Amino acid sequence: MSPSIDTSSPAIARFDPESLSQRFAAMAPSDIIRWAVDTFGDGLLMTSSFGAESMCLIHLLTRAKPNVRIVLVNTGYLFPQTLIFMEEMRRRYGLNVMEYHSQHDPLVYLTVHGETDPRMRRDVDACCRDNKNEVFDRAMRELAPAAWVRGVRADQSAIRSRMKVVQWNTRVNAWAISPLLNWDHRRIFDYMKHHNLPFHPLWPQGYVSIGCNPETCTSPVAADSDPRGGRWGGMDKKECGIHLDQGAGI
Ligand code: SF4
């Protein structure tokens, strides 16, 4: 059951998401971000996985607000290349990265939960709940943003196609803002090329959507395949959970 929304709350009553989303549907991501920065100021933060094309949204947002908080959820199972890439970007662009870690030791967690092969996951939902969603929820509780900028796109999944550019998120208790919702892979690629932004080092090897390193969780895909097809390939699972209002119940 979805949590009820107190529409009388001043934070929620402040905007009408329906009219805002209609207004934003035809607007460029940079204009949406400008509105978000002007509206929420230091109450804004963004999440980033420092994945394949993450520098697109990071560049857009930091041009408008250079010191914006960028939250990285470190599950303990990220690719080493992701952490190296994050550190390179942090230094090169002066990013204000806030890294939140799983409370579990990565190897101990696998042993305790009967995961006998570190290259695979048998229970992906339990692992995402314990090592990703718990971390995300803790970060959001501690940082208490007024608005959360995220990089979801409508063309990535059926769930994401139903999202709005601006919508109230009951889980985070803040506005969720998705400036790239109506962009596709091509537009992001063109933006990154135009601004000479770096891609994740695994991107040239076919890793176009990058999460954790077990083969069950991230694998390369052939050119022109569904970019999200490399995430939990062959499973019904489409989301790690942080973009769902009921993340822990994925
Ligand atoms: S994506 Fe895979 S390794 Fe990462 S938290 Fe989820 S199940 Fe665990």
Side-chain angles (χ1 to χ4, degrees):
M1 196 174 96
S2 296
S4 60
I5 300 174
D6 176 9
T7 52
S8 65
S9 158
I12 300 174
R14 194 170 167 195
F15 307 111
D16 171 16
E18 280 301 330
S19 60
L20 277 182
S21 281
Q22 284 174 13
R23 186 174 131 206
F24 287 144
M27 281 170 64
S30 56
D31 293 330
I32 298 167
I33 284 172
R34 171 48 57 198
W35 171 83
V37 170
D38 290 346
T39 304
F40 298 105
D42 289 339
L44 207 62
L45 62 68
M46 72 173 287
T47 48
S48 180
S49 63
F50 285 86
E53 299 163 335
S54 291
M55 285 309 297
C56 176
L57 185 58
I58 289 173
H59 185 257
L60 277 161
L61 184 49
T62 54
R63 288 220 294 183
K65 187 167 179 54
N67 67 341
V68 69
R69 297 169 292 176
I70 303 175
V71 176
L72 169 67
V73 171
N74 189 335
T75 61
Y77 305 113
L78 298 177
F79 288 89
Q81 292 92 332
T82 299
L83 297 175
I84 293 168
F85 180 58
M86 179 275 288
E87 185 59 18
E88 284 179 2
M89 296 303 98
R90 189 183 70 77
R91 290 178 187 222
R92 187 184 306 180
Y93 295 99
L95 304 178
N96 181 17
V97 179
M98 309 181 81
E99 191 175 344
Y100 278 74
H101 291 257
S102 169
Q103 293 175 322
H104 303 281
D105 176 272
L107 288 178
V108 173
Y109 181 87
L110 297 182
T111 305
V112 169
H113 290 267
E115 298 283 0
T116 53
D117 184 348
R119 296 169 303 174
M120 314 295 283
R121 277 305 173 279
R122 295 193 307 192
D123 192 342
V124 287
D125 283 348
C127 185
C128 273
R129 181 192 63 218
D130 296 340
N131 296 299
K132 186 140 193 178
N133 285 273
E134 186 281 327
V135 186
F136 171 76
D137 287 332
R138 177 161 34 93
M140 293 300 134
R141 268 198 316 275
E142 285 184 19
L143 299 172
W148 161 38
V149 176
R150 56 187 182 177
V152 292
R153 302 203 321 263
D155 66 358
Q156 290 174 320
S157 72
I159 290 172
R160 296 181 183 200
S161 73
R162 294 191 290 274
M163 292 177 174
K164 300 198 180 312
V165 172
V166 178
Q167 64 189 114
W168 181 254
N169 188 285
T170 51
R171 178 177 176 187
V172 175
N173 198 34
W175 290 97
I177 301 169
S178 306
L180 300 179
L181 193 68
N182 298 316
W183 267 20
D184 58 15
H185 167 73
R186 187 75 233 175
R187 295 195 75 170
I188 289 175
F189 179 85
D190 289 347
Y191 181 92
M192 292 186 64
K193 285 293 178 191
H194 179 74
H195 292 283
N196 198 26
L197 296 173
F199 291 78
H200 189 290
L202 291 176
W203 180 82
Q205 299 172 37
Y207 288 86
V208 292
S209 178
I210 301 171
C212 294
N213 60 25
E215 293 165 24
T216 38
C217 305
T218 305
S219 55
V221 297
D224 300 328
S225 299
D226 171 12
R228 292 283 294 180
R231 304 298 295 280
W232 309 287
M235 302 183 195
D236 289 338
K237 184 178 176 70
K238 300 294 176 207
E239 298 281 343
C240 67
I242 68 171
H243 296 296
L244 305 178
D245 259 10
Q246 297 288 308
I250 42 180

